[in-house]
Amino acid sequence: MGRERFSPDELRALFNLLMQVQLSQVALIVINHAQSKIPDDEIALKRGLIFQQMGEQEQALDSLNNACELNPDNHLAFYHRGFCLLLAGNMEQATESFKTCTELAPDFVGGYQNLAGCYYQQSEFELAASQCEAVFQRNQTITPAYITALSAYMALNDLDNVGIWLERAEAHQIVSPELYRLHGLYSAAKEDHETAVDQFSAYLEIAESSFDVLHFRAKSLAASGQWQLLLDDLEVLLSIDDNDHWCLEHLFLAHYHLQHWSDAELVFQKLTTLSDHYLHHFHQELKVIRSEHAEPITFVTTGV
């Protein structure tokens, strides 16, 4: 660095390369030698990025604050400052930083996307959705915008807009495991349980350990009367909590509808140990089981 002369663009390219290969200390040397060739606010910004990569969050935030003060029009300084503030747990300040970024650079989609995430984390679902719409207007290929928008509209129970975003995802060939989960929740809410089962199953092929989604699939299997398939899911769910009331109730119903009378009675005995109200709740089913499962009467004749 002392012997060679680099242009500002060459220094920037060298810095980006070193950051990509995570040679943070070398990148810091480059920036220290670039102070006379690159604007002060850019130097402060790049130092902040180096400290972020090194895990020195306090120093990173100090450098990024300095970059924002040196040049209040530097949208990237506010953008990366927002990240630092998020890591420090300062959600409100991070929100303001990302908001400033969008005001300074209306065409920069990253600011809108991160602002949407901040609003979502604060349960400001309408604001989160509006920022996702802003992302979509500028770029239709950013997968996290679809996930945040769908999650926000699901939280608002706005199924019409959930449907619109699912159609957009299909039209723009957006692929993400989370889309299967959200599509499944949407289909279940629309009482299209067969589609819900398909979507939850596609998700579980990728994320097998997701017991929440397994529970969602079990509910859709029960709602659509797919009792044999439901038995497998209930076996897994009850291995986690063998006193789960919903699972035991539907294990009883699955055996009942499949005419597994002995198994149904065993599950019913377990239910009555949890609550006496099941004696009344499943009174009709119990009558059928006792009728079907009764031992036949054998008549014995003796010769005279």
Side-chain angles (χ1 to χ4, degrees):
M1 292 301 300
R3 293 194 304 269
E4 301 293 335
R5 292 187 178 183
F6 295 92
S7 70
D9 286 342
E10 288 173 334
L11 288 167
R12 291 184 179 100
L14 180 57
F15 169 82
N16 291 336
L17 177 61
L18 292 169
M19 291 294 286
Q20 286 175 12
V21 296
Q22 298 188 356
L23 291 175
S24 308
Q25 295 284 0
V26 185
L28 188 58
I29 293 171
V30 170
I31 290 306
N32 288 338
H33 280 81
Q35 292 185 69
S36 62
K37 296 184 178 181
I38 293 178
D40 290 344
D41 63 299
E42 188 178 344
I43 292 290
L45 168 57
K46 291 185 182 322
R47 279 183 177 152
L49 297 177
I50 292 169
F51 289 132
Q52 269 189 328
Q53 192 174 87
M54 294 169 66
E56 300 289 345
Q57 297 303 328
E58 287 188 15
Q59 287 178 275
L61 185 55
D62 287 343
S63 293
L64 292 168
N65 282 335
N66 186 31
C68 293
E69 291 170 3
L70 289 168
N71 184 359
D73 294 327
N74 188 333
H75 71 282
L76 288 176
F78 285 95
Y79 176 73
H80 290 289
R81 177 176 176 268
F83 273 120
C84 265
L85 289 165
L86 278 178
L87 291 173
N90 296 326
M91 181 66 72
E92 291 184 6
Q93 292 183 46
T95 301
E96 290 303 316
S97 198
F98 290 130
K99 191 184 296 183
T100 301
C101 175
T102 62
E103 292 167 356
L104 292 171
D107 293 327
F108 180 63
V109 295
Y112 298 102
Q113 176 57 36
N114 289 328
L115 188 54
C118 286
Y119 283 137
Y120 186 84
Q121 291 298 319
Q122 297 172 84
S123 298
E124 298 281 358
F125 301 122
E126 289 184 0
L127 290 173
S130 69
Q131 296 304 313
C132 292
E133 297 288 352
V135 173
F136 185 80
Q137 290 171 13
R138 293 159 177 80
N139 189 325
Q140 293 78 47
T141 64
I142 299 179
T143 300
Y146 289 83
I147 304 304
T148 304
L150 287 165
S151 300
Y153 283 124
M154 282 297 298
L156 293 166
N157 198 30
D158 185 346
L159 298 183
D160 289 341
N161 271 310
V162 173
I164 289 170
W165 274 87
L166 287 171
E167 290 175 2
R168 289 174 173 178
E170 183 178 1
H172 294 284
Q173 299 181 330
I174 303 299
V175 178
S176 168
E178 189 64 9
L179 281 176
Y180 292 126
R181 187 185 74 87
L182 290 164
H183 196 165
L185 291 173
Y186 165 76
S187 298
K190 298 280 285 186
E191 299 186 358
D192 179 3
H193 293 290
E194 290 190 3
T195 300
V197 168
D198 290 341
Q199 293 297 319
F200 290 140
S201 297
Y203 180 88
L204 289 166
E205 287 180 7
I206 302 167
E208 296 179 0
S209 62
S210 177
F211 296 112
D212 286 344
V213 174
L214 191 66
H215 211 297
F216 293 143
R217 184 172 72 177
K219 288 186 175 182
S220 285
L221 285 170
S224 56
Q226 299 183 61
W227 303 110
Q228 187 63 53
L229 293 173
L230 177 61
L231 287 177
D232 293 335
D233 283 2
L234 291 176
E235 181 180 352
V236 176
L237 292 168
L238 285 166
S239 71
I240 303 163
D241 180 2
D242 60 359
N243 287 323
D244 185 299
H245 286 230
W246 186 91
C247 289
L248 285 171
E249 288 174 25
H250 286 83
L251 182 61
F252 169 76
L253 289 172
H255 285 310
Y256 171 80
H257 286 289
L258 293 168
Q259 300 184 6
H260 301 164
W261 310 123
S262 297
D263 291 328
E265 281 215 79
L266 288 172
V267 178
F268 187 78
Q269 290 172 15
K270 172 81 172 182
L271 282 170
T272 55
T273 64
L274 299 176
S275 174
D276 290 339
H277 90 278
Y278 289 113
L279 289 167
H280 174 72
H281 186 69
F282 289 126
H283 175 70
Q284 189 60 40
E285 288 84 356
L286 194 59
K287 279 181 64 177
V288 173
I289 292 171
R290 296 284 163 80
S291 171
E292 296 291 339
H293 194 46
E295 291 291 332
I297 298 172
T298 304
F299 295 93
V300 179
T301 60
T302 57
V304 177

